[in-house]
Amino acid sequence: MSGSRLKLTHTLAAALVVAASVALGVRAARAAQVTLLNVSYDPTRELYEAVNAQFAKEWKAKTGDDVTVNQSHGGSGKQARAVIDGLEADVVTLGLAGDIDAIVEKADLLPSNWQSRLPDNSCPYTSTIVLLVRKGNPKKIHDWDDLVKPGIAVITANPKTSGGARWNFLAVWGYALKRNGGDEAKAAAFVKLLYKNVPVLDSGARGSTTTFVEREIGDVLIAWENEARTAIKQFGADKFEVVYPSVSILAEPPVAWVDKVDDRRGTAAISKAYLEFLYTPAAQEIIAQNFFRPRDKAVAAKYASQFPGMSLLTIDSDFGGWKKAQPKFFGDGGVFDKIYQPGS
Amino acid sequence: MVRIALITIAMVFVALFIFIPVIAVFAEALRKGVGAYFAAIANPEARAAIRLTLMTAAIAVPLNVTFGIAASWAIARFDFPGKQTLLTLIDIPFSVSPVISGMLFVLLLGVRAPLGGFLAAHGIRVIFAEPGIVLATLFVTFPLAARELIPIMQAVGSEEEEAAIVLGAGGWQMFFRVTIPNVKWGLLYGLVLCNARAMGEFGAVSVVSGHIQGHTNTMPLYVEILYNDFQFAAAFAVSSLLTMLAIATLIAKRFLERRVVPVKQAQDELAVKVAA
């Protein structure tokens, strides 16, 4: 009786050991399976799908490990909020530096000098703000001045919630300031006129694009250059055309690895490698093909015809950086609150 | 004359606001052809979304139906202090906007909240992972089964249960042989409603999802993503699955309503007879 029980115990123990070693073996084999989460903003979905495939290929060739980069997309501000609340982003690739600053301030997940850790202010690609009009430009829209004319319906998103719309606002503001010799009151009057022409203020940049191209509301869409070009690619060049205004802004969407998440998940090295990969010629090529402006000189030269030269303001030299511009223009009671009254 | 006018108005209204949009969903879904339709559904991300939606419903529905039976039985059979409060509490998810339900969970279980921080420190992810989605779904579908069962339990009354006990049935025997069969159609009805809401919920789930492609997108969230991605035909293809679920729900509802109502009527008639 006790002998057979002993036997049973032995068998059980042996089975447990086998099961455990199988489990561990599976673990060990899986250690070479790495997953990263890239939390990004709306218009980069296609870009990162292409980048991730290329990165996985190169990482496999270099280290033999399989890497899967998961993507999460949404409005830039909303995504930052999710990371603050615990969305486990190994890297963030957002619409503007202010949103990554918010992650530093509110959740302390990465150091405040994050922007100096990678070249070009941690912005491996740039974009700008352009105008998308219906084919043939029936309303004769050529520059910002044409957007304040009575009867023109302008589509843009709400700068309180949309990163893209903040760039839109600053482009208009910068132009108005230039035109009025630096007079802020006159610039405000101009911008106010423009927002009076906005019939639908969507909460995100992608939402306003859909409003313009799919619901066919409005005469002109203020949009990211990449967004405008993607819309043309999706819907055909016979429907829309891009108008380059005389002055616009250099939109710099930054990237950063999230130290505390990486440390916890053991993904620090690969997260950094992933972001550094964005600066390589291969990735810069993908970036240009997705209508973002590449930083790499050779790639930029190759795609020069795609990206017309424009007079571009920058957030740092013309607006004193996001830390100053964010509260001044988009904080509660800021410039935007003063000039925009819904329904007025 | 008035009757014809009323019927016409009702018909036109139904055609305009229900029939045409439903047809439009399927027309849009098939705009690029049957091949594109099935390709959209067979896409790995679509399959992951369908799997997550089914899994969420498979957890949320049985739990809430179990709760619904327990709560409705307790409320219909017993008087206890706090009964009215319990009834009111059950209704909370109905009266709160789903987005707020979602934010409530983020506030409670996000890493910056004490409880969420504690769980995160022990490697347990709730918000922006599958458990958060299940929790949010549980919360919004919580009253559906209970609300359906309480009036039926009350209408059925306890006479048959008492008879079973008197005839020597044990507690569980009575429960499974008498109580459950008496309310089975109402139970199924609650289950169908609960399931439909669990699969279709958008607001609360959107807040806690984190939108990780291929991992934490349910079908409704995936539809929004496809739509925002200019993939309109694919968005409507996945929508058509949800629409089919809705139609199946309606048919089941019609069928079950026919069963539930006679039970109530029979009980009422019995009550009238007993009173007489």
PDB file of all heavy atoms in Angstrom, chain B residues 161-177:
ATOM      1  N   GLU B 161     -42.197  26.790  -5.651  1.00  0.00           N
ATOM      2  CA  GLU B 161     -40.978  26.457  -4.904  1.00  0.00           C
ATOM      3  C   GLU B 161     -41.351  25.879  -3.537  1.00  0.00           C
ATOM      4  O   GLU B 161     -40.771  24.890  -3.082  1.00  0.00           O
ATOM      5  CB  GLU B 161     -40.097  27.695  -4.741  1.00  0.00           C
ATOM      6  CG  GLU B 161     -39.467  28.119  -6.050  1.00  0.00           C
ATOM      7  CD  GLU B 161     -38.708  29.423  -5.947  1.00  0.00           C
ATOM      8  OE1 GLU B 161     -38.639  29.990  -4.839  1.00  0.00           O
ATOM      9  OE2 GLU B 161     -38.200  29.869  -6.974  1.00  0.00           O
ATOM     10  N   GLU B 162     -42.346  26.517  -2.897  1.00  0.00           N
ATOM     11  CA  GLU B 162     -42.776  26.032  -1.579  1.00  0.00           C
ATOM     12  C   GLU B 162     -43.319  24.608  -1.695  1.00  0.00           C
ATOM     13  O   GLU B 162     -43.014  23.741  -0.878  1.00  0.00           O
ATOM     14  CB  GLU B 162     -43.835  26.966  -0.994  1.00  0.00           C
ATOM     15  CG  GLU B 162     -43.220  28.238  -0.423  1.00  0.00           C
ATOM     16  CD  GLU B 162     -44.210  29.381  -0.300  1.00  0.00           C
ATOM     17  OE1 GLU B 162     -45.429  29.134  -0.413  1.00  0.00           O
ATOM     18  OE2 GLU B 162     -43.763  30.520  -0.100  1.00  0.00           O
ATOM     19  N   ALA B 163     -44.086  24.406  -2.770  1.00  0.00           N
ATOM     20  CA  ALA B 163     -44.635  23.068  -2.993  1.00  0.00           C
ATOM     21  C   ALA B 163     -43.510  22.052  -3.129  1.00  0.00           C
ATOM     22  O   ALA B 163     -43.556  20.958  -2.555  1.00  0.00           O
ATOM     23  CB  ALA B 163     -45.504  23.072  -4.244  1.00  0.00           C
ATOM     24  N   ALA B 164     -42.470  22.418  -3.873  1.00  0.00           N
ATOM     25  CA  ALA B 164     -41.341  21.508  -4.082  1.00  0.00           C
ATOM     26  C   ALA B 164     -40.685  21.166  -2.761  1.00  0.00           C
ATOM     27  O   ALA B 164     -40.355  20.006  -2.492  1.00  0.00           O
ATOM     28  CB  ALA B 164     -40.327  22.150  -5.034  1.00  0.00           C
ATOM     29  N   ILE B 165     -40.497  22.184  -1.917  1.00  0.00           N
ATOM     30  CA  ILE B 165     -39.864  21.959  -0.611  1.00  0.00           C
ATOM     31  C   ILE B 165     -40.739  21.031   0.233  1.00  0.00           C
ATOM     32  O   ILE B 165     -40.249  20.070   0.847  1.00  0.00           O
ATOM     33  CB  ILE B 165     -39.650  23.295   0.135  1.00  0.00           C
ATOM     34  CG1 ILE B 165     -38.704  24.196  -0.658  1.00  0.00           C
ATOM     35  CG2 ILE B 165     -39.138  23.067   1.555  1.00  0.00           C
ATOM     36  CD1 ILE B 165     -37.257  23.790  -0.647  1.00  0.00           C
ATOM     37  N   VAL B 166     -42.047  21.328   0.224  1.00  0.00           N
ATOM     38  CA  VAL B 166     -42.968  20.513   1.016  1.00  0.00           C
ATOM     39  C   VAL B 166     -42.919  19.055   0.561  1.00  0.00           C
ATOM     40  O   VAL B 166     -42.980  18.128   1.363  1.00  0.00           O
ATOM     41  CB  VAL B 166     -44.406  21.081   0.906  1.00  0.00           C
ATOM     42  CG1 VAL B 166     -45.416  20.089   1.483  1.00  0.00           C
ATOM     43  CG2 VAL B 166     -44.491  22.414   1.622  1.00  0.00           C
ATOM     44  N   LEU B 167     -42.771  18.861  -0.759  1.00  0.00           N
ATOM     45  CA  LEU B 167     -42.727  17.501  -1.296  1.00  0.00           C
ATOM     46  C   LEU B 167     -41.355  16.849  -1.095  1.00  0.00           C
ATOM     47  O   LEU B 167     -41.089  15.779  -1.615  1.00  0.00           O
ATOM     48  CB  LEU B 167     -43.097  17.503  -2.772  1.00  0.00           C
ATOM     49  CG  LEU B 167     -44.560  17.855  -3.050  1.00  0.00           C
ATOM     50  CD1 LEU B 167     -44.807  18.005  -4.537  1.00  0.00           C
ATOM     51  CD2 LEU B 167     -45.496  16.807  -2.465  1.00  0.00           C
ATOM     52  N   GLY B 168     -40.461  17.566  -0.408  1.00  0.00           N
ATOM     53  CA  GLY B 168     -39.204  16.937  -0.026  1.00  0.00           C
ATOM     54  C   GLY B 168     -37.996  17.252  -0.901  1.00  0.00           C
ATOM     55  O   GLY B 168     -36.984  16.574  -0.815  1.00  0.00           O
ATOM     56  N   ALA B 169     -38.089  18.272  -1.742  1.00  0.00           N
ATOM     57  CA  ALA B 169     -36.943  18.617  -2.583  1.00  0.00           C
ATOM     58  C   ALA B 169     -35.904  19.362  -1.761  1.00  0.00           C
ATOM     59  O   ALA B 169     -36.254  20.098  -0.825  1.00  0.00           O
ATOM     60  CB  ALA B 169     -37.401  19.501  -3.750  1.00  0.00           C
ATOM     61  N   GLY B 170     -34.624  19.140  -2.084  1.00  0.00           N
ATOM     62  CA  GLY B 170     -33.563  19.906  -1.447  1.00  0.00           C
ATOM     63  C   GLY B 170     -33.477  21.276  -2.092  1.00  0.00           C
ATOM     64  O   GLY B 170     -34.144  21.551  -3.098  1.00  0.00           O
ATOM     65  N   GLY B 171     -32.630  22.121  -1.520  1.00  0.00           N
ATOM     66  CA  GLY B 171     -32.487  23.496  -2.036  1.00  0.00           C
ATOM     67  C   GLY B 171     -32.091  23.536  -3.499  1.00  0.00           C
ATOM     68  O   GLY B 171     -32.749  24.170  -4.329  1.00  0.00           O
ATOM     69  N   TRP B 172     -31.007  22.811  -3.843  1.00  0.00           N
ATOM     70  CA  TRP B 172     -30.510  22.853  -5.214  1.00  0.00           C
ATOM     71  C   TRP B 172     -31.496  22.193  -6.178  1.00  0.00           C
ATOM     72  O   TRP B 172     -31.677  22.655  -7.296  1.00  0.00           O
ATOM     73  CB  TRP B 172     -29.142  22.176  -5.328  1.00  0.00           C
ATOM     74  CG  TRP B 172     -28.047  22.990  -4.716  1.00  0.00           C
ATOM     75  CD1 TRP B 172     -27.317  22.659  -3.624  1.00  0.00           C
ATOM     76  CD2 TRP B 172     -27.590  24.273  -5.144  1.00  0.00           C
ATOM     77  NE1 TRP B 172     -26.425  23.657  -3.340  1.00  0.00           N
ATOM     78  CE2 TRP B 172     -26.562  24.659  -4.255  1.00  0.00           C
ATOM     79  CE3 TRP B 172     -27.939  25.127  -6.182  1.00  0.00           C
ATOM     80  CZ2 TRP B 172     -25.876  25.862  -4.370  1.00  0.00           C
ATOM     81  CZ3 TRP B 172     -27.260  26.335  -6.303  1.00  0.00           C
ATOM     82  CH2 TRP B 172     -26.248  26.695  -5.404  1.00  0.00           C
ATOM     83  N   GLN B 173     -32.105  21.089  -5.641  1.00  0.00           N
ATOM     84  CA  GLN B 173     -33.075  20.367  -6.464  1.00  0.00           C
ATOM     85  C   GLN B 173     -34.216  21.305  -6.861  1.00  0.00           C
ATOM     86  O   GLN B 173     -34.612  21.391  -8.019  1.00  0.00           O
ATOM     87  CB  GLN B 173     -33.633  19.204  -5.652  1.00  0.00           C
ATOM     88  CG  GLN B 173     -33.889  17.995  -6.484  1.00  0.00           C
ATOM     89  CD  GLN B 173     -34.263  16.814  -5.608  1.00  0.00           C
ATOM     90  OE1 GLN B 173     -34.272  16.892  -4.377  1.00  0.00           O
ATOM     91  NE2 GLN B 173     -34.581  15.715  -6.247  1.00  0.00           N
ATOM     92  N   MET B 174     -34.720  22.033  -5.861  1.00  0.00           N
ATOM     93  CA  MET B 174     -35.785  22.989  -6.106  1.00  0.00           C
ATOM     94  C   MET B 174     -35.326  24.042  -7.112  1.00  0.00           C
ATOM     95  O   MET B 174     -36.037  24.379  -8.064  1.00  0.00           O
ATOM     96  CB  MET B 174     -36.169  23.665  -4.790  1.00  0.00           C
ATOM     97  CG  MET B 174     -37.188  24.760  -4.945  1.00  0.00           C
ATOM     98  SD  MET B 174     -36.978  26.007  -3.651  1.00  0.00           S
ATOM     99  CE  MET B 174     -35.571  26.893  -4.253  1.00  0.00           C
ATOM    100  N   PHE B 175     -34.089  24.532  -6.911  1.00  0.00           N
ATOM    101  CA  PHE B 175     -33.577  25.605  -7.752  1.00  0.00           C
ATOM    102  C   PHE B 175     -33.508  25.174  -9.219  1.00  0.00           C
ATOM    103  O   PHE B 175     -33.970  25.883 -10.106  1.00  0.00           O
ATOM    104  CB  PHE B 175     -32.187  26.004  -7.236  1.00  0.00           C
ATOM    105  CG  PHE B 175     -31.604  27.174  -7.957  1.00  0.00           C
ATOM    106  CD1 PHE B 175     -32.103  28.457  -7.745  1.00  0.00           C
ATOM    107  CD2 PHE B 175     -30.560  27.002  -8.854  1.00  0.00           C
ATOM    108  CE1 PHE B 175     -31.569  29.536  -8.413  1.00  0.00           C
ATOM    109  CE2 PHE B 175     -30.023  28.078  -9.520  1.00  0.00           C
ATOM    110  CZ  PHE B 175     -30.526  29.343  -9.303  1.00  0.00           C
ATOM    111  N   PHE B 176     -32.934  23.972  -9.432  1.00  0.00           N
ATOM    112  CA  PHE B 176     -32.743  23.557 -10.828  1.00  0.00           C
ATOM    113  C   PHE B 176     -33.999  22.958 -11.456  1.00  0.00           C
ATOM    114  O   PHE B 176     -34.158  22.992 -12.668  1.00  0.00           O
ATOM    115  CB  PHE B 176     -31.573  22.561 -10.934  1.00  0.00           C
ATOM    116  CG  PHE B 176     -30.249  23.236 -10.827  1.00  0.00           C
ATOM    117  CD1 PHE B 176     -29.428  23.035  -9.728  1.00  0.00           C
ATOM    118  CD2 PHE B 176     -29.832  24.106 -11.826  1.00  0.00           C
ATOM    119  CE1 PHE B 176     -28.212  23.680  -9.630  1.00  0.00           C
ATOM    120  CE2 PHE B 176     -28.613  24.749 -11.735  1.00  0.00           C
ATOM    121  CZ  PHE B 176     -27.799  24.539 -10.627  1.00  0.00           C
ATOM    122  N   ARG B 177     -34.905  22.381 -10.615  1.00  0.00           N
ATOM    123  CA  ARG B 177     -36.080  21.725 -11.192  1.00  0.00           C
ATOM    124  C   ARG B 177     -37.269  22.685 -11.298  1.00  0.00           C
ATOM    125  O   ARG B 177     -38.154  22.490 -12.112  1.00  0.00           O
ATOM    126  CB  ARG B 177     -36.488  20.527 -10.332  1.00  0.00           C
ATOM    127  CG  ARG B 177     -35.465  19.417 -10.321  1.00  0.00           C
ATOM    128  CD  ARG B 177     -35.720  18.445 -11.457  1.00  0.00           C
ATOM    129  NE  ARG B 177     -34.765  17.364 -11.479  1.00  0.00           N
ATOM    130  CZ  ARG B 177     -34.931  16.223 -10.807  1.00  0.00           C
ATOM    131  NH1 ARG B 177     -35.996  16.043 -10.075  1.00  0.00           N
ATOM    132  NH2 ARG B 177     -34.016  15.276 -10.890  1.00  0.00           N
TER     133      ARG B 177
END
